[in-house]
């Protein structure tokens, strides 16, 4: 089975560079219907990036994975009709009401209900309702991911690089904080950081937008575990460039090279991890998060 590299993209220009670096599918979105997607992609930008990706034989997925309220659900059919007209390849969604509208619009979808997606049975439920794949909760360990994938006949996305959201509040926590300390300038659309009291080198980004406040982990990497993913049928690899900036294209290129080396039995874990560490922005540490923990520890 082909290994697919999925990447975020924050602009059309970056999208083309990511495709040239080896990305197979681009994920974009805007704050009304999507969570945590830099670039806030307008429909005209989605049209442009879709045409670009299709010229290269690649795909575009639009995130529709927000926690929907009445006003969003009411405006979603018109948005989906525009996406269908543009010719995007798929969407991600987890809200059952949104999924019903997506199916009515005849758009393929990946099931993505954030932290709720923790078992094969749940994914099987949505597979019977036309889901073409699933985005499993980032808190699920690699051991559990392998077990889930073995029970399914559709792909499970695994994040191999980038930060994960470890807290989301619908409240404007940054703005409230600045108001409390007498600084009325809003924290919205700006990124701040917090550290653990006993670990000043730790760096957890905090970001506020129209959907509330998001706290991210430091950057996850599964570069050293790619052979295990491959052996266990986990062939859908997601890379998130939230922290990486201009280096993200090179990081995607490195994972693309790692994929080629795996397929040619030339993968050198030590060398690949060394090269990734050189590309990683200095202010963000690399780690494996919860992925390599014993599932019993997480529970």
């Amino acid at each position: 089975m082909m290994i697919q590299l999925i990447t975020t993209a924050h602009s059309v220009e970056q999208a083309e560079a990511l495709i040239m670096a080896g990305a197979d599918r681009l994920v974009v979105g805007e704050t009304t219907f999507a969570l945590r997607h830099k670039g806030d992609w307008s429909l005209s930008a989605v049209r442009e990036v879709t045409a670009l990706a299709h010229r290269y034989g690649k795909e575009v997925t639009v995130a529709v994975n927000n926690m929907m309220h009445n006003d969003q659900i009411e405006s979603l059919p018109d948005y989906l009709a525009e996406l269908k007209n543009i010719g995007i390849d798929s969407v991600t969604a987890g809200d059952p009401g949104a999924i019903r509208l997506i199916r009515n619009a005849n758009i393929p979808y990946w099931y993505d209900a954030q932290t709720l997606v923790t078992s094969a049975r749940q994914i099987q439920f949505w597979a019977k309702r036309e889901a073409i794949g699933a985005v499993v909760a980032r808190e699920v360990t690699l051991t559990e991911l392998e077990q889930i994938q073995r029970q399914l006949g559709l792909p499970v996305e695994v994040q191999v690089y980038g930060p994960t959201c470890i807290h989301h509040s619908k409240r404007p926590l940054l703005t409230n904080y600045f108001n409390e300390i007498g600084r009325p300038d809003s924290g919205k659309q700006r990124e701040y950081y917090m550290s653990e009291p006993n670990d000043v080198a730790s760096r957890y980004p905090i970001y506020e937008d129209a959907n509330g406040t998001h706290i991210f982990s430091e950057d996850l990497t599964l570069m050293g575990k790619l052979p295990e993913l491959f052996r266990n049928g986990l062939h859908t690899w997601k890379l998130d460039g939230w922290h990486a900036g201009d280096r993200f294209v090179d990081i995607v290129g490195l994972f693309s090279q790692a994929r080629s080396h795996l397929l040619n039995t030339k993968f050198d874990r030590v060398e690949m991890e060394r090269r990734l560490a050189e590309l990683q922005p200095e202010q963000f540490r690399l780690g494996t998060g919860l992925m390599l923990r014993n599932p019993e520890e997480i529970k």
Side-chain angles (χ1 to χ4, degrees):
M1 182 184 293
M2 182 186 73
I3 298 170
Q4 186 179 53
L5 290 186
I6 308 164
T7 75
T8 58
H10 64 67
S11 68
V12 175
E13 293 74 21
Q14 188 195 47
E16 184 166 22
L18 289 168
I19 289 171
M20 299 306 293
D24 301 301
R25 178 155 58 93
L26 305 169
V27 182
V28 301
E30 56 92 20
T31 53
T32 302
F33 302 107
L35 286 177
R36 296 178 289 275
H37 281 269
K38 283 189 175 180
D40 205 20
W41 289 76
S42 66
L43 284 169
S44 61
V46 172
R47 184 180 299 277
E48 186 176 356
V49 78
T50 301
L52 169 73
H54 288 177
R55 283 201 301 272
Y56 287 102
K58 307 301 182 180
E59 300 179 2
V60 170
T61 294
V62 176
V64 189
N65 62 336
N66 209 338
M67 295 179 286
M68 301 286 181
H69 288 247
N70 285 336
D71 56 339
Q72 292 162 309
I73 286 288
E74 289 173 3
S75 59
L76 184 56
D78 290 340
Y79 184 67
L80 294 173
E82 291 289 347
L83 296 181
K84 181 70 174 179
N85 181 60
I86 288 170
I88 65 152
D89 299 281
S90 60
V91 298
T92 63
D95 183 291
I99 290 173
R100 179 181 180 185
L101 296 173
I102 290 163
R103 293 177 68 191
N104 288 344
N106 197 28
I107 298 175
Y109 75 96
W110 288 71
Y111 178 56
D112 179 13
Q114 311 288 316
T115 57
L116 300 179
V117 191
T118 55
S119 73
R121 291 294 181 91
Q122 182 183 172
I123 297 169
Q124 287 167 347
F125 176 90
W126 291 105
K128 292 178 180 178
R129 289 151 182 84
E130 302 176 339
I132 62 172
V135 180
V136 178
R138 303 309 187 195
E139 292 80 8
V140 172
T141 65
L142 183 55
T143 298
E144 293 170 294
L145 273 171
E146 293 167 354
Q147 293 169 349
I148 289 171
Q149 183 65 87
R150 283 196 293 270
Q151 298 177 58
L152 297 174
L154 73 172
V156 169
E157 178 187 292
V158 54
Q159 185 170 346
V160 297
Y161 176 82
T164 62
C165 182
I166 58 177
H167 178 76
H168 176 208
S169 171
K170 294 289 284 186
R171 294 177 294 170
L173 299 181
L174 285 173
T175 298
N176 292 345
Y177 169 77
F178 286 124
N179 288 338
E180 182 68 24
I181 65 174
R183 284 176 52 187
D185 50 315
S186 171
K188 189 173 292 187
Q189 298 293 348
R190 295 181 61 187
E191 196 169 285
Y192 296 86
Y193 306 92
M194 63 183 294
S195 298
E196 296 180 32
N198 298 322
D199 185 4
V200 294
S202 60
R203 196 173 177 88
Y204 301 100
I206 309 175
Y207 183 79
E208 181 185 315
D209 61 14
N211 293 311
T213 308
H214 316 267
I215 302 177
F216 293 90
S217 69
E218 297 177 305
D219 282 346
L220 170 77
T221 173
L222 289 184
M223 177 65 83
K225 290 295 181 177
L226 297 184
E228 182 176 338
L229 299 182
F230 182 61
R231 287 195 305 271
N232 286 280
L234 290 163
H235 298 154
T236 307
W237 300 350
K238 171 72 175 294
L239 292 89
D240 192 313
W242 191 278
H243 295 160
D246 294 338
R247 299 187 184 188
F248 188 49
V249 172
D250 291 332
I251 290 170
V252 170
L254 184 63
F255 274 86
S256 179
Q257 188 175 62
R259 169 177 59 181
S260 297
H261 288 182
L262 263 178
L263 296 175
N264 295 320
T265 65
K266 296 179 180 179
F267 182 79
D268 185 332
R269 178 185 62 80
V270 173
E271 174 64 12
M272 285 298 173
E273 289 186 322
R274 181 192 66 78
R275 291 173 61 185
L276 179 60
E278 290 178 350
L279 289 171
Q280 178 68 9
E282 293 180 3
Q283 65 269 39
F284 296 111
R285 295 185 301 197
L286 288 167
T288 55
L290 302 175
M291 294 295 291
L292 305 186
R293 302 281 290 275
N294 185 318
E296 294 303 318
E297 295 179 57
I298 308 302
K299 295 174 183 177

